[in-house]
Amino acid sequence: MKNPQLNKHGELQHLLSTEGLPVCIMRDILDRAATFLDEADGREFKKVPLLHGKSVFNVFFENSTRTRTTFEIAAKKLSADVVNLNIGQSSTSKGETLLDTVDNLCAMHADMFVVRHSSSGAAHLIARHVAPDIHVINAGDGRHAHPTQALLDMYTIRHYKKEFHNLRVAIVGDILHSRVARSQIHALTTLGVPEVRVIAPKTLLPSHVDKLGVQVYHDMTEGLKDVDVVMTLRLQNERMQGALLPSAQEFFKYYGLTQERLALAKPDAIVMHPGPMNRGVEIDSAVADGPQAVILPQVTFGIAVRMAVMSTLAGNNQ
Ligand code: CP
């Protein structure tokens, strides 16, 4: 079956998921991201004309702080014109369908859509619908995928750990409802991480999660032992149906990342979180603000990775 993310030359046409994304494309994006960021300084991004004359439309049907803002910064650093559609004030509230909205934005000469939607598959639907010279980036769809988050997480891991082939990585928390976890697992296994662990109560794990190539733990003491990277996740309450946990306090008691638990990981382990964080639920403030946390650098690296994704797509017109 044709990979919906690739054009007829096998190049990236849309970024919809890390599942099925060829390892060479993943590595190219990480390498390209590094060219946009002055690693010595870690803050400066070069402004380049790679998207000059192109229009990037940020179409977010769900709230966002990090993804939407860093896409906007990244597009502007690439010299694109950026349009942020305010869905709350759009005609979606008057009953306009998603594809009718997209058609109208295409009529305004959109070249690239960055889409976040509560429905899994929304970005795929748009990618199938638009003309071949238009690119779609999935900025998070339901509980399905959040590929740029996973790629910026891979960039962060590579920045601090240099290689993937010798790592033990633990993903902790609400795996069941997390598009980030799904995208991280596909990216980590594609890039050759030999041991990916998930740590969660049974009620917050997808059935058959082991089929994704991960080791399953229900106990933090066992799961965190000797890991190089700890990736924490919040409870995705907005996607939960029914009570899957007694309480947030109970979750913290058994699955909260505290300094005592982090001490079970390797001494140089890094702590990551895609945000937004819920302090005192999945992570203790002492860890979130501690020396092993790389949570804010993740956000900064996200700008470079999103520049890399958009400039790669813009160079691949069929
Ligand atoms: N990580 C992430 O997707 O954060 P936002 O919801 O703030 O974009």
Side-chain angles (χ1 to χ4, degrees):
M1 202 176 78
K2 186 180 176 299
N3 187 329
Q5 307 195 86
L6 305 183
N7 66 19
K8 62 185 178 217
H9 309 294
E11 301 163 330
L12 196 66
Q13 172 69 13
H14 307 289
L15 180 63
L16 305 175
S17 167
T18 52
E19 185 177 9
L21 196 62
V23 66
C24 54
I25 291 181
M26 242 183 242
R27 286 193 183 278
D28 282 351
I29 289 170
L30 302 186
D31 291 344
R32 183 183 277 247
T35 68
F36 293 124
L37 184 65
D38 180 347
E39 290 256 353
D41 174 85
R43 296 180 62 81
E44 277 302 314
F45 292 93
K46 299 179 185 86
K47 181 147 183 167
V48 289
L50 295 172
L51 262 69
H52 178 71
K54 303 281 184 194
S55 295
V56 175
F57 279 58
N58 272 331
V59 187
F60 277 56
F61 292 87
E62 264 188 3
N63 293 339
S64 167
T65 298
R66 283 146 288 268
T67 312
R68 202 188 90 145
T69 314
T70 53
F71 261 114
E72 180 172 353
I73 295 168
K76 286 179 174 168
K77 291 284 178 196
L78 293 168
S79 310
D81 297 318
V82 185
V83 179
N84 291 310
L85 191 68
N86 187 340
I87 292 299
Q89 292 172 7
S90 76
S91 290
T92 302
S93 58
K94 300 177 198 162
E96 187 169 69
T97 67
L98 176 61
L99 294 184
D100 279 335
T101 301
V102 166
D103 283 341
N104 280 270
L105 300 178
C106 289
M108 299 174 206
H109 295 175
D111 295 294
M112 203 174 282
F113 286 107
V114 180
V115 182
R116 172 169 288 189
H117 203 284
S118 58
S119 296
S120 296
H124 279 78
L125 184 71
I126 296 170
R128 276 202 302 273
H129 180 74
V130 294
D133 59 337
I134 294 178
H135 305 282
V136 178
I137 302 172
N138 183 3
D141 63 326
R143 58 165 89 171
H144 170 240
H146 193 349
T148 58
Q149 178 66 47
L151 290 172
L152 75 87
D153 292 338
M154 298 308 110
Y155 186 96
T156 306
I157 291 173
R158 198 176 73 165
H159 176 85
Y160 289 102
K161 297 292 170 192
K162 309 302 174 207
E163 303 280 354
F164 292 104
H165 67 81
N166 54 357
L167 295 181
R168 204 174 275 137
V169 177
I171 307 174
V172 188
D174 182 2
I175 314 286
L176 177 63
H177 302 97
S178 175
R179 55 195 176 206
V180 172
R182 239 169 283 273
S183 290
Q184 287 171 333
I185 290 169
H186 289 301
L188 289 164
T189 52
T190 302
L191 287 166
V193 172
E195 193 172 333
V196 182
R197 302 177 178 181
V198 292
I199 314 174
K202 283 196 176 103
T203 51
L204 294 181
L205 281 169
S207 50
H208 310 302
V209 66
D210 50 322
K211 300 258 182 339
L212 297 176
V214 298
Q215 297 182 5
V216 179
Y217 291 83
H218 302 298
D219 180 85
M220 288 284 267
T221 307
E222 291 171 19
L224 289 176
K225 193 161 168 30
D226 295 330
V227 298
D228 300 279
V229 179
V230 188
M231 305 169 98
T232 47
L233 298 168
R234 74 181 173 91
L235 297 173
Q236 325 265 308
N237 291 308
E238 72 276 21
R239 294 187 205 122
M240 285 189 196
Q241 284 166 343
L244 298 176
L245 291 168
S247 67
Q249 290 77 14
E250 192 82 355
F251 182 81
F252 184 72
K253 183 173 163 195
Y254 291 104
Y255 293 97
L257 187 63
T258 58
Q259 283 181 307
E260 294 71 32
R261 288 187 174 134
L262 180 58
L264 299 164
K266 288 190 182 160
D268 62 349
I270 55 170
V271 174
M272 300 170 61
H273 195 306
M277 271 192 296
N278 291 138
R279 293 168 183 260
V281 181
E282 73 273 10
I283 190 165
D284 191 43
S285 277
V287 175
D289 302 327
Q292 289 169 267
V294 297
I295 296 166
L296 294 177
Q298 281 176 264
V299 178
T300 308
F301 294 149
I303 298 172
V305 169
R306 287 170 175 135
M307 287 175 78
V309 169
M310 287 192 281
S311 59
T312 298
L313 291 170
N316 291 343
N317 282 324
Q318 50 186 349

